Amino acid sequence: MTKTLKILGITLAAIVGLLVVAAVTLALVFDPNQYKDDIIRLVKDNTGRDLKIGKKIGWSFFPRLGIEAGGLELSNAAGFGTQPFAKVDAAGVRVAVLPLLTGKIDIGVVYLHGVDLNLARNAAGRSNWDDMVAATPAEAKKPEPAAKTDSSLPIAGLSVGRLEVKRANLVWHDLQSGSRMAVRNLELATSAFVADKPMDLHLGFELARDKAAPIKVALGSRLTASANALKLADVDLKLDDSRLRGGIEIRNFARPALHFDLALDKIDIDRYLGAEPKTATAAATSTPVAAEPVELPLSTLRALDIQGKFGIGELKAIGVRSKDVKIEIKAKDGLIALGPSSAA
């Protein structure tokens, strides 16, 4: 028995040694930068966009298979100006090699630093990403038998050491409505992620809307994700000087059941609407608008499965102030019940 174990140990050590030697040899001989032109041409052929890779591509083989790149820049769609669609200062991912042999994905780290994303819609209603998600012509598609949809998340066997996003900015410009919105200085950090186990989540950013004052957002929570459920526990959301606490859980993605228990200390909704209530004179002189019939989505309402509580310590909306607002909702099998609810 002892002799057999020794043979197995020597064999495993030899295999690992060979893997290490092969990895080192490949790292010394193979340079991924020689394929930059091929990558750029592939992106051009499939998207029509120009890709720039301004920094050297680096990679590793063992014990983690990793790749890092920087100075990435993807051109905008035709008719949307010369500003790049997306820019990334640095991006990288590292995956453990040995777990791949058993069908598991063990990602050590995924990071994105210095991200700039410019989203836009022109006056005709076309967005600057439509060309990249255009569907294949119907005549080119082959009919396929209807398959049962799997609504579960594909996270079984997935492990991520941490996710890190720094200095991310997203701009949305809608030329149809003339509105502009931007998410500035987004920072995202997580602890290790493993399915069915809680993960620390920290998110912060600044939201700017047209000429309105920017809104500062900071979120801390414990996220637990499984193939068919998602849970946010110990939610601590700060919105300027307002603070929301509690928990949210979603079960059964095929027919979602939502449970929540949330409490907000205070909020001034008028501050974010940026509008003051109309005076009696203004209301009397305004042009009346004919009401149009609204069709209620009954099938959607019947499918609701919600049980939740929501409380607000101090509320200001359309010039009215309230305190100790409490709202409860229950919805299941087409029966929707609000209450008991109260407010001072």
Side-chain angles (χ1 to χ4, degrees):
M1 183 64 178
T2 304
K3 185 177 180 180
T4 302
L5 291 176
K6 285 183 178 180
I7 294 173
L8 287 174
I10 293 171
T11 303
L12 289 174
I15 292 173
V16 172
L18 287 173
L19 287 173
V20 172
V21 171
V24 172
T25 302
L26 284 172
L28 293 174
V29 174
F30 180 71
D31 182 10
N33 292 279
Q34 64 183 324
Y35 293 99
K36 273 187 179 182
D37 292 339
D38 294 329
I39 296 171
I40 292 170
R41 185 168 52 253
L42 187 64
V43 171
K44 182 70 172 181
D45 292 342
N46 285 273
T47 69
R49 306 286 187 97
D50 294 321
L51 174 67
K52 294 180 181 179
I53 306 176
K55 297 180 182 178
K56 185 177 180 181
I57 301 174
W59 74 334
S60 58
F61 284 95
F62 196 84
R64 291 192 176 274
L65 178 64
I67 186 166
E68 299 176 339
L72 305 176
E73 185 176 307
L74 184 65
S75 66
N76 219 327
F80 286 88
T82 58
Q83 189 177 33
F85 174 77
K87 291 177 63 178
V88 180
D89 286 345
V93 60
R94 300 187 186 99
V95 181
V97 175
L98 294 180
L100 293 174
L101 303 177
T102 61
K104 295 182 179 180
I105 303 175
D106 182 1
I107 302 174
V109 60
V110 177
Y111 69 86
L112 290 169
H113 295 169
V115 181
D116 289 305
L117 185 61
N118 295 295
L119 305 178
R121 180 168 60 183
N122 62 19
R126 186 172 67 91
S127 71
N128 63 342
W129 65 87
D130 284 347
D131 58 320
M132 294 192 293
V133 296
T136 305
E139 60 271 18
K141 292 183 179 179
K142 294 182 179 180
E144 297 180 0
K148 187 176 180 181
T149 302
D150 184 7
S151 58
S152 60
L153 296 178
I155 60 176
L158 175 64
S159 174
V160 181
R162 76 177 190 275
L163 175 63
E164 183 181 275
V165 178
K166 291 184 177 181
R167 306 186 311 279
N169 300 286
L170 185 152
V171 176
W172 164 247
H173 191 193
D174 189 350
L175 293 176
Q176 275 195 324
S177 63
S179 64
R180 189 180 183 91
M181 184 176 69
V183 174
R184 305 287 189 191
N185 302 317
L186 186 145
E187 303 272 336
L188 172 65
T190 72
S191 62
F193 168 80
V194 180
D196 297 316
K197 293 185 179 180
M199 171 189 75
D200 291 330
L201 171 67
H202 298 280
L203 173 67
F205 60 88
E206 187 176 83
L207 178 64
R209 304 163 300 145
D210 297 320
K211 296 181 180 180
I215 303 170
K216 293 183 179 180
V217 180
L219 170 66
S221 182
R222 296 274 285 172
L223 171 66
T224 305
S226 62
N228 210 24
L230 194 66
K231 181 179 180 180
L232 280 172
D234 303 327
V235 172
D236 189 355
L237 173 64
K238 296 178 182 178
L239 185 69
D240 287 330
D241 55 355
S242 301
R243 192 170 191 176
L244 178 72
R245 292 180 174 180
I248 306 170
E249 184 173 4
I250 302 175
R251 303 172 185 169
N252 186 14
F253 295 133
R255 189 169 182 177
L258 172 64
H259 290 192
F260 63 87
D261 189 350
L262 300 168
L264 181 65
D265 59 353
K266 59 183 178 181
I267 190 167
D268 182 353
I269 295 179
D270 292 341
R271 171 182 178 180
Y272 301 109
L273 294 178
E276 298 180 358
K278 291 183 179 180
T279 63
T281 303
T285 57
S286 60
T287 303
V289 179
E292 295 183 1
V294 178
E295 183 178 348
L296 293 176
L298 296 180
S299 59
T300 302
L301 293 175
R302 292 191 186 102
L304 290 177
D305 187 350
I306 301 175
Q307 182 174 345
K309 298 179 180 179
F310 186 62
I312 306 175
E314 298 179 15
L315 169 66
K316 180 176 178 289
I318 57 174
V320 178
R321 296 181 181 273
S322 303
K323 286 186 177 182
D324 301 326
V325 178
K326 295 180 181 179
I327 302 171
E328 291 191 28
I329 181 173
K330 293 181 180 179
K332 193 165 186 177
D333 299 328
L335 180 62
I336 301 175
L338 288 172
S341 302
S342 62

